[in-house]
Structure formats: structure tokens, C-alpha cells
Amino acid sequence: MSDQVALATPGTEEAELLERMDRARLPRHVAVIMDGNGRWARQRRLPRVAGHRAGIESVREIVEISARLGLEVLTLYAFSVENWKRPKSEVRTLMRLLKEYIRIELNRLAGGNIRFTAIGRIDELAPSVRRELQHAMEMTERNSGMKLNVALNYSGRAELVDTFNKLLHEYKQNGRRQPLDEEQISQSLYTAGIPDPDLLIRTSGEMRISNFLLWQIAYSEIYITPTLWPDFRRKHLLEAILEYQRRDRRYGGI
């Protein structure tokens, strides 16, 4: 109990949620589609960049509580392949905010024993962005705590294309003719070596998965909240985990 109370102020709603949580049955891997920054800004008659900046505060809070709870993996959908279709000024702002986040949070991530990883078609990002990502990955690669995956220039379909092309190249080089199996595909994905998401959270109430982790979420529990991402805080994550713990995961069985 004392460990749970340390994560929240006694008497608060967060503390009550923690009291109800079974810390032995936490999801190992939580993935989040962070949606609603633009709507959050529009509701306040602010420019979209204000929504993106507010969203960074949610990232900071959710990363911290996830690590302190003891989650193994947290994957955040930050920028999709399709997001390049947005206005160039917005894309530049998103990339600038990404670099700012890494610079500001790197010491916190390193000190919190969090391992930072970027997944997606990273080689297509601007050199300045790639340098920041590489530096963060190198600075935290020896950390043994929660793994923070940030999906950038990511697409579930693109990931599968890259995976199959990688396997096809290996097969041609090695002259192998055996058919592929699921394990070979899983170990060739961007997320190779980590468990598939147990829980997929989408903010803003949209009922779609937006081309995110298509292979990996085959048996994930999906939690949709109307809360816009800049308003998503510790309480909302705890509520999602409690809902996950109420479900009976049968993986297609009886």
C-alpha cells in the first residue's frame, strides 16, 4: 500500500484508483495513439501549435507514471507517414517540438532508468532530427527500466513492407526456401524483442487504429477515451489500466 500511495497524494482520486489496481496484473506493454491536439487548440481558439505544446505535458506525465508503475514498454504514436500531408509549417513545428522534448527530457529519462527508442522510417527524417534521436538512444541504451518507444514517420503497413523486404533479402542471400512463420515476422519488425501491446489506448474518442502496430495489436485490449490528448493525465491512464484488468483475455479461446 505504501508503494501505491507514494505514486499519488493520499485522499485524491488517483490514490483511490491505485488502491483498486492489482499491481501484479499490469499490462506489460501499453501503446497510445495520441490524438486530439488540434481539436484541443481549436476549442480554445488557439493555433494548432498550442495543442502540440500542451500535448508534450501529457507525454511527460504519462511517461513518468508508466515508468513508476513498472510497465515494461510504453509506445507512443508521435508522427505517422501520413502526417507529412499536413501543412509544412505544422510539420516543421512538430519536428522542432520533438527535438526540444528530447533535449529537455533526456536527463530525466536517463536518470529514471528509461530506455529511449525511435521506431519507424527514421532514415527519412531530417539529419538534425536523426542526430537528436541517435544521441538519446545512445545515452539511454544501458538503462534497464521501462522502454519508451516513440513511433516517428511510422506506418503499420510500411512496417510490414519493410519487414517482408528485409526477410526477402535475407532469403535471397542465404538461398533459403522454407516458408515464413509468425515468429520470424515478429522478430523482424521494428518492435523485435519486446512483447506485443497488451493495451492500446486511443484518445479523442475516434474509433479507428490509424495504421498503428497492425501486426502487434492482434490481441491487444483496446480502450477508447473521449479525452483529448493534451488533457490526458495520470488519472486517465490509471482508469485505462483498471478497465484492462476487468477484461477477460482469451486470445480466441473459450
Side-chain angles (χ1 to χ4, degrees):
M1 175 175 174
S2 60
D3 181 44
Q4 292 186 349
V5 172
L7 292 171
T9 303
T12 63
E13 184 177 4
E14 292 177 5
E16 190 272 333
L17 291 169
L18 282 164
E19 285 291 330
R20 291 162 50 196
M21 187 175 295
D22 183 352
R23 295 285 292 277
R25 294 180 54 245
L26 292 172
R28 297 176 65 193
H29 182 177
V30 173
V32 185
I33 300 174
M34 304 181 294
D35 191 26
N37 290 352
R39 270 167 286 174
W40 184 93
R42 188 165 58 251
Q43 288 174 2
R44 291 159 177 77
R45 298 182 180 179
L46 297 171
R48 287 178 66 88
V49 63
H52 296 315
R53 283 197 174 278
I56 290 177
E57 294 301 316
S58 296
V59 170
R60 181 176 293 115
E61 189 163 316
I62 296 310
V63 169
E64 179 186 11
I65 186 63
S66 296
R68 294 184 66 193
L69 279 171
L71 302 187
E72 292 183 30
V73 186
L74 175 67
T75 299
L76 303 177
Y77 200 5
F79 190 87
S80 73
V81 168
E82 293 77 16
N83 287 158
W84 292 111
K85 299 174 185 176
R86 294 184 178 186
K88 291 183 178 179
S89 59
E90 183 177 353
V91 171
R92 285 195 298 269
T93 297
L94 286 167
M95 293 301 159
R96 186 178 72 249
L97 290 174
L98 170 64
K99 291 190 287 186
E100 287 180 11
Y101 170 80
I102 293 173
R103 291 169 188 162
I104 293 170
E105 295 298 311
L106 184 53
N107 287 337
R108 193 194 305 259
L109 295 175
N113 197 29
I114 297 169
R115 183 179 177 186
F116 177 90
T117 304
I119 63 172
R121 290 181 168 173
I122 306 304
D123 58 336
E124 296 178 358
L125 297 172
S128 61
V129 176
R130 295 201 307 268
R131 284 194 295 270
E132 294 291 347
L133 295 172
Q134 187 62 36
H135 178 59
M137 289 188 281
E138 290 174 354
M139 286 287 292
T140 62
E141 64 182 349
R142 296 184 183 277
N143 287 351
S144 58
M146 186 185 77
K147 187 169 188 175
L148 171 61
N149 289 325
V150 177
L152 295 162
N153 195 25
Y154 177 87
S155 151
R157 288 185 174 183
E159 178 178 21
L160 291 173
V161 169
D162 291 347
T163 296
F164 296 148
N165 280 330
K166 175 184 175 183
L167 289 166
L168 180 62
H169 177 71
E170 292 174 354
Y171 270 44
K172 285 182 177 179
Q173 280 194 324
N174 301 329
R176 297 179 61 184
R177 293 293 184 269
Q178 295 91 341
L180 285 171
D181 59 30
E182 291 188 12
E183 182 62 21
Q184 286 174 292
I185 294 172
S186 292
Q187 292 307 312
S188 298
L189 296 168
Y190 301 153
T191 55
I194 65 174
D196 289 339
D198 299 297
L199 173 62
L200 172 67
I201 298 171
R202 179 168 189 139
T203 61
S204 86
E206 298 292 345
M207 298 292 185
R208 55 180 179 266
I209 58 176
S210 296
N211 202 6
F212 187 45
L213 301 176
L214 298 179
W215 178 276
Q216 297 91 331
I217 63 170
Y219 286 103
S220 299
E221 294 297 320
I222 299 176
Y223 178 86
I224 308 292
T225 173
T227 304
L228 301 177
W229 177 248
D231 293 326
F232 192 88
R233 289 294 191 266
R234 296 157 58 106
K235 174 179 81 76
H236 302 98
L237 178 65
L238 298 176
E239 288 173 342
I241 292 175
L242 281 171
E243 172 60 26
Y244 163 82
Q245 292 185 340
R246 284 192 286 267
R247 298 185 186 179
D248 180 17
R249 304 185 74 197
R250 297 189 295 273
Y251 300 94
I254 297 175

